[in-house]
Amino acid sequence: MLAALTGCSMIKENIKEQVTYQIRSVDAQVTMRETQFGIPAPTVDIGISVEILNNSPINLTLNKISYTVFLDDKEMTRGETNEEVQVSANGGSNVIRFNTQLGTRELLNSGVSLTRNRGLPPIRVEGTGWITTRFGEHEVPFTLNYNESDEEA
């Protein structure tokens, strides 16, 4: 009995190490939307696709992800997905997408510059995934970087 409990405890502890996330793609589109005063203003729609990789020996369900998106190290938005995603054991993966919108106010307040025909500034996503397995619920935190410079000082 003790061996079974120890084994379950080890699996539960290893979930945080065996479940990983990686950014698959980031899409940004600038559109014009009317403000509450009827004046058109630019808005940036950002979609971030994140792959969940499960290297554990048990199937899991991702119930929710809470996230914060940073552009150029400036917090731009927070959000939460409530889409339930199944991920198979032993190398299974699935993709979930975060969609967020940045209005003129957020862009101006942040000082982030988005210029036509240029890539996006560095993006960082910090968050936590709430995962359910047959051994219980687990919180698996993550930090993901996109378009980050590889230069070292």
Side-chain angles (χ1 to χ4, degrees), residues 42 44 69 71-77 101-114:
V44 179
V69 177
L71 290 178
D72 255 351
D73 284 328
K74 295 170 181 78
E75 183 178 323
M76 299 305 290
T77 187
Q101 188 178 87
L102 305 177
T104 305
R105 180 179 305 164
E106 289 92 354
L107 292 170
L108 290 174
N109 287 342
S110 72
V112 170
S113 174
L114 297 177

Side-chain angles (χ1 to χ4, degrees), residues 50 76 108 115 124:
V50 174
M76 299 305 290
L108 290 174
T115 308
R124 185 175 78 249

Side-chain angles (χ1 to χ4, degrees), residues 102-149:
L102 305 177
T104 305
R105 180 179 305 164
E106 289 92 354
L107 292 170
L108 290 174
N109 287 342
S110 72
V112 170
S113 174
L114 297 177
T115 308
R116 180 187 272 184
N117 297 328
R118 288 218 178 145
L120 289 168
I123 296 173
R124 185 175 78 249
V125 181
E126 295 179 359
T128 300
W130 277 264
I131 292 171
T132 302
T133 68
R134 67 179 184 238
F135 297 102
E137 294 191 10
H138 317 272
E139 292 181 23
V140 182
F142 61 88
T143 299
L144 305 172
N145 294 295
Y146 178 83
N147 227 12
E148 188 175 54
S149 172

Side-chain angles (χ1 to χ4, degrees), residues 6-142:
T6 303
C8 290
S9 178
M10 284 180 48
I11 289 174
K12 190 171 183 177
E13 287 300 314
N14 288 334
I15 288 291
K16 288 184 181 179
E17 295 172 17
Q18 295 175 338
V19 174
T20 58
Y21 307 84
Q22 66 183 32
I23 292 179
R24 298 287 285 174
S25 66
V26 176
D27 305 308
Q29 181 177 11
V30 178
T31 58
M32 298 298 281
R33 296 217 170 84
E34 278 193 21
T35 65
Q36 64 188 22
F37 305 110
I39 300 168
T43 301
V44 179
D45 296 313
I46 298 178
I48 302 172
S49 294
V50 174
E51 183 175 26
I52 299 95
L53 304 163
N54 180 13
N55 290 316
S56 78
I58 53 177
N59 295 329
L60 63 85
T61 301
L62 176 69
N63 298 306
K64 173 175 80 170
I65 288 184
S66 296
Y67 60 89
T68 304
V69 177
F70 299 83
L71 290 178
D72 255 351
D73 284 328
K74 295 170 181 78
E75 183 178 323
M76 299 305 290
T77 187
R78 293 174 180 256
E80 193 170 275
T81 66
N82 289 309
E83 179 182 347
E84 195 170 276
V85 175
Q86 305 296 318
V87 185
S88 299
N90 300 314
S93 67
N94 209 329
V95 176
I96 192 161
R97 187 168 172 88
F98 314 150
N99 292 303
T100 189
Q101 188 178 87
L102 305 177
T104 305
R105 180 179 305 164
E106 289 92 354
L107 292 170
L108 290 174
N109 287 342
S110 72
V112 170
S113 174
L114 297 177
T115 308
R116 180 187 272 184
N117 297 328
R118 288 218 178 145
L120 289 168
I123 296 173
R124 185 175 78 249
V125 181
E126 295 179 359
T128 300
W130 277 264
I131 292 171
T132 302
T133 68
R134 67 179 184 238
F135 297 102
E137 294 191 10
H138 317 272
E139 292 181 23
V140 182
F142 61 88

